[in-house]
């Protein structure tokens, strides 16, 4: 006969959450050529240098593409997002972290 | 990540770049922002931080990542990426069963399972049995089902019961529970930037100060060593708040808490009480609009600390300590002028920069000595520091003047509130003396310690990145086991 096990009933300390809805990303663009690519970053040091490099490389490979570079808050503000989205076909977003 | 999802919601395909050290945090944030399949591309943190200083240095990294970024924008989404089915994690069990051959082995197993689940703080925990949680709840008249607020980043619901479970695990006593609940009310208030203190790469910490008669009643330490170990009330109240934030918010280091060096005093925060017996001034909470007989908790985000001296090591004078405080406020403030007019880290113009909030802890004896200088209370000391921490207009650089002028402009009403604008409009001219603080009330002063004592201080942003404040005072209510904190 085995030894009887001691049992501890314990309450779960984790906060209950409401799972957010799941949205799918947008369909991708077919090609970079001829498109306007948005480059958004916050003001963390060095992101401007990285984006300058990306900007130069993209334009070298796709001479007909253009970029729109915007520096703003960590999370782009609503009004800026609307204006930015209206100017671009696709975007790269980085915050330097 | 929220910004990336915001632009995706506006119909534009995008890609988010994260350093490898933040990869898990980025994925977690993508889920929190309802777009788990948002495309993320990873670069090496070690390399990026080293080469980001110039375009030529960062170019090789950009060359290597370019194809990846182009692919992220042009390669069609997979079936998995276009799916919109909610991740089925299954509901977590309300009760967890642990077994062992003895209490000792069951206790060890409990600690292992909880830590494996990321439900702890690394120190041994007290088992939150239903009986023990019921005992803890006997300290409050509030319903276990009442929701106090939500804790980021997962917006976990902080019910009274969940707070009580974490208080048990911390080793707290039921009479401490109303204090812990009030601290959680402050942290989850709509105006408190809990996201920054709990998740930021800047390794900030939290000060939890109890003022009013409940502090003595529950045995909080406010004498020598008040920030130290050995005081069950101070230490377990702080630990309960720490565990409640970790477990209710689903927070874990390097997963979504990106504090690079960890948070100082990570298990108990900086939890203490004002010294009601020796403090010649009215309690701190009275300056926040509460009655003297109320008991309150003040929660404040803090950065690094410093001492202004006092103590038994050398002679001290109130004037000498006051001078050191002024020099510190002035030195820190002068460094910050250039960021008053920044665009802002978050939604609020100027947020995440600008003026510093000071949190100064004076020892009781100094309050009596300050009287000899004509400083009879907290407000007059705040005014004195504010008046002295000024910079001559002629000593400001054009960039500093421009920064302050930007903060005086439209949209910056939280950076410089309208009632304070005239001070800066009048001082930004020849012969003017420009305060480094917006208001004397941004110099928060507490009285704790004993004789001999040491004046010490911390500081933080007056306007944090994501919400309007990093300091809030809440009244303790619902206590059932103490005379104070009941209403």
């Amino acid at each position: 006969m085995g030894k009887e096990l001691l049992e501890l009933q314990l309450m779960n300390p984790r906060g209950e959450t409401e799972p957010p809805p799941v949205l799918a990303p947008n369909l991708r663009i077919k090609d970079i050529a001829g498109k306007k690519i948005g480059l958004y970053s916050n003001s963390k040091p060095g992101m401007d240098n990285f984006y300058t490099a990306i900007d130069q490389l993209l334009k070298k490979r796709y001479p007909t593409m253009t970029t729109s570079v915007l520096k703003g808050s960590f999370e782009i503000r609503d009004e800026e997002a609307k204006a930015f989205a209206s100017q671009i076909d696709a975007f790269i977003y980085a915050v330097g972290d | 990540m929220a910004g990336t999802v915001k632009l995706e919601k506006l119909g534009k395909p995008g890609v988010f770049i994260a350093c490898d050290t933040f990869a898990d945090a980025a994925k977690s944030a993508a889920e929190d922002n309802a777009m788990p399949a948002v495309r993320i591309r990873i670069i090496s943190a070690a390399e990026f931080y080293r080469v980001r200083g110039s375009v030529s240095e960062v170019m090789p990294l950009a060359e290597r990542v370019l194809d990846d970024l182009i692919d992220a924008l042009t390669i069609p989404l997979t079936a998995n990426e276009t799916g919109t089915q909610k991740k089925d994690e299954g509901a977590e069990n309300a009760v967890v069963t642990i077994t062992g051959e003895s209490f000792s082995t069951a206790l060890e197993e409990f600690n292992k399972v909880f830590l494996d689940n990321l439900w702890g703080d690394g120190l041994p925990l007290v088992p939150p049995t239903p009986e023990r949680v019921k005992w803890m709840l006997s300290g409050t008249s509030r319903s276990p089902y009442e929701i106090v607020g939500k804790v980021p980043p997962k917006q976990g619901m902080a019910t009274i019961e969940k707070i009580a479970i974490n208080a048990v695990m911390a080793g707290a006593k039921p009479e401490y529970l109303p204090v812990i609940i009030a601290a959680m009310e402050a942290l989850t208030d709509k105006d408190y930037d809990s996201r920054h203190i709990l998740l930021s790469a800047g390794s900030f910490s939290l000060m939890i100060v109890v003022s009013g008669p409940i502090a003595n009643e529950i045995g909080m330490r406010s004498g020598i060593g008040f920030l130290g170990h050995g005081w069950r009330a101070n230490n377990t109240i702080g630990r309960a708040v720490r565990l409640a934030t970790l477990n209710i918010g689903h927070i874990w280091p390097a997963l979504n808490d990106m504090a690079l060096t960890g948070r100082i005093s990570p298990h108990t925060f900086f939890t203490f009480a004002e010294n009601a017996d020796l403090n010649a001034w009215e309690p701190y909470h009275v300056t926040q609009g509460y009655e003297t007989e109320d008991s309150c908790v003040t929660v404040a985000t803090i950065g690094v600390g410093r001492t202004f001296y006092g103590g038994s090591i050398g002679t001290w004078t109130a004037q000498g300590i006051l001078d050191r405080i002024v020099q510190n406020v002035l030195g820190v403030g002068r460094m910050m002028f250039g960021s008053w007019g920044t665009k802002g880290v978050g939604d609020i113009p100027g947020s995440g920069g600008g003026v510093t909030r000071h949190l100064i802890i004076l020892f009781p004896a100094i309050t009596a000595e300050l009287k000899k200088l004509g400083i009879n209370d907290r407000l007059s000391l705040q005014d004195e520091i504010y008046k002295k921490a000024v910079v001559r207009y002629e000593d400001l650089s054009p960039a500093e003047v421009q920064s302050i002028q930007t903060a005086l402009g439209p949209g910056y009403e939280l950076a410089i509130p309208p009632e304070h604008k005239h001070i800066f409009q009048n001082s930004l001219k020849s012969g003017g003396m420009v305060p480094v603080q917006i208001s004397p009330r941004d110099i928060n002063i507490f009285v704790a310690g004993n004789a001999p004592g040491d004046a010490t201080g911390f500081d933080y942003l007056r306007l944090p990145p994501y919400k309007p404040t990093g300091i809030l005072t809440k009244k303790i209510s619902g206590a059932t086991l103490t005379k104070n904190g009941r209403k």
Side-chain angles (χ1 to χ4, degrees), chain B residues 450-467:
Chain B
N450 205 321
D454 201 20
T456 188
F458 301 89
D459 48 50
Y460 179 63
L461 301 163
R462 179 180 169 276
L463 195 53
Y466 308 114
K467 295 280 182 71

Side-chain angles (χ1 to χ4, degrees), chain A residues 6 8 10-12 14-16 21 23 26 28 49 61 71 74-78 80 85 88 93 97, chain B residues 6 8 12-15 17 19 34 52 67 72 92-94 96 98 100 128 157 162 195 250 343 345-346:
Chain A
L6 185 140
L8 282 179
L10 303 171
M11 297 186 74
N12 187 327
R14 289 243 290 189
E16 286 182 26
L23 306 171
N26 289 294
R28 305 289 100 176
N49 294 326
R61 191 179 299 188
K71 214 153 84 164
F74 199 83
E75 293 169 15
I76 187 170
R77 292 180 185 149
D78 290 350
E80 278 182 333
I88 58 174
Y93 198 114
D97 281 337
Chain B
K6 195 182 284 184
E8 285 271 0
K12 302 299 172 182
V15 57
I17 303 176
C19 288
R52 63 181 170 166
D67 285 341
E92 283 191 351
N93 293 328
V96 182
I98 302 286
M157 280 180 274
K162 289 291 183 185
R195 175 180 161 188
H250 301 206
K343 202 169 177 181
V345 174

Side-chain angles (χ1 to χ4, degrees), chain A residues 1-4 15 23 31 44 55 67-68 70 74 84 88:
Chain A
M1 199 171 145
K3 193 178 174 186
E4 198 173 324
L23 306 171
D31 191 4
K44 282 224 171 158
D55 191 32
T67 56
S68 174
L70 181 63
F74 199 83
F84 192 54
I88 58 174

Side-chain angles (χ1 to χ4, degrees), chain B residues 269-389:
Chain B
F269 293 132
F270 291 80
T271 306
F272 65 98
E274 276 212 303
N275 195 328
D277 297 333
L278 299 179
N279 178 13
W281 296 348
E282 57 192 5
Y284 174 82
H285 62 264
V286 174
T287 62
Q288 304 303 302
Y290 295 95
E291 302 295 329
T292 306
E293 60 272 22
D294 289 339
S295 291
C296 293
V297 177
T298 299
V299 168
T301 303
I302 54 173
V304 291
R306 61 184 57 80
T307 180
F308 304 115
Y309 302 103
S312 59
I313 295 168
T315 55
W316 61 270
T317 62
Q319 186 64 58
I321 289 173
L322 177 59
D323 289 346
R324 277 191 282 272
I325 291 172
V326 169
Q327 283 308 309
N328 176 61
V329 171
L330 190 55
V332 173
R334 180 63 198 265
M335 283 193 300
M336 298 302 281
F337 273 138
S339 68
W340 283 32
T342 56
K343 202 169 177 181
V345 174
D347 278 342
I348 305 166
S351 59
V355 174
T356 300
R357 175 179 297 287
H358 293 270
L359 302 120
I360 296 165
I361 308 169
L362 296 181
F363 53 99
I366 198 175
T367 58
E369 289 299 307
L370 282 166
K371 276 190 180 174
K372 296 175 187 167
L373 303 177
I375 297 167
N376 296 315
D377 56 26
R378 212 176 300 249
L379 297 181
S380 50
L381 179 56
Q382 289 173 319
D383 290 341
E384 185 70 11
I385 298 168
Y386 179 81
K387 270 191 297 185
K388 288 185 169 167

Side-chain angles (χ1 to χ4, degrees), chain A residues 3-32 37 40 44-54 56-58 61-62 70-78 80-82 84-86 88-97, chain B residues 2-4 6-17 19 31 34-35 37 39 49 52-54 58-59 62-63 66-67 70 72-75 77 81-82 84 92-100 110 119 127-130 154 156-157 161-162 165-166 169 195 247-248 250 343-348:
Chain A
K3 193 178 174 186
E4 198 173 324
L5 288 177
L6 185 140
E7 193 174 276
L8 282 179
Q9 300 284 329
L10 303 171
M11 297 186 74
N12 187 327
R14 289 243 290 189
E16 286 182 26
T17 58
E18 290 168 10
V22 174
L23 306 171
N26 289 294
L27 296 179
R28 305 289 100 176
I29 52 176
K30 287 198 170 66
D31 191 4
I32 302 288
I37 306 299
Y40 184 87
K44 282 224 171 158
M47 273 314 301
D48 48 353
N49 294 326
F50 182 73
Y51 270 168
T52 300
I54 292 289
Q56 289 174 6
L57 293 169
L58 281 171
R61 191 179 299 188
Y62 305 100
L70 181 63
K71 214 153 84 164
S73 54
F74 199 83
E75 293 169 15
I76 187 170
R77 292 180 185 149
D78 290 350
E80 278 182 333
K82 281 178 201 159
F84 192 54
S86 71
I88 58 174
D89 297 296
F91 69 93
I92 299 171
Y93 198 114
V95 293
D97 281 337
Chain B
T4 307
K6 195 182 284 184
L7 289 169
E8 285 271 0
K9 283 182 180 171
L10 289 166
K12 302 299 172 182
V15 57
F16 182 80
I17 303 176
C19 288
E31 287 178 12
M35 198 172 282
R39 284 189 167 169
Y49 292 136
R52 63 181 170 166
S54 71
V58 83
M59 185 60 84
E63 283 169 345
L66 186 70
D67 285 341
I70 292 169
L73 295 176
T74 57
I75 290 182
L77 300 175
E81 288 175 312
T82 55
T84 56
E92 283 191 351
N93 293 328
V95 176
V96 182
T97 304
I98 302 286
T99 54
F110 143 67
W119 297 352
T129 60
K154 301 292 182 188
M157 280 180 274
E161 183 179 67
K162 289 291 183 185
I165 294 169
N166 283 282
M169 289 164 58
R195 175 180 161 188
N247 290 327
I248 296 174
H250 301 206
K343 202 169 177 181
V345 174
D347 278 342
I348 305 166

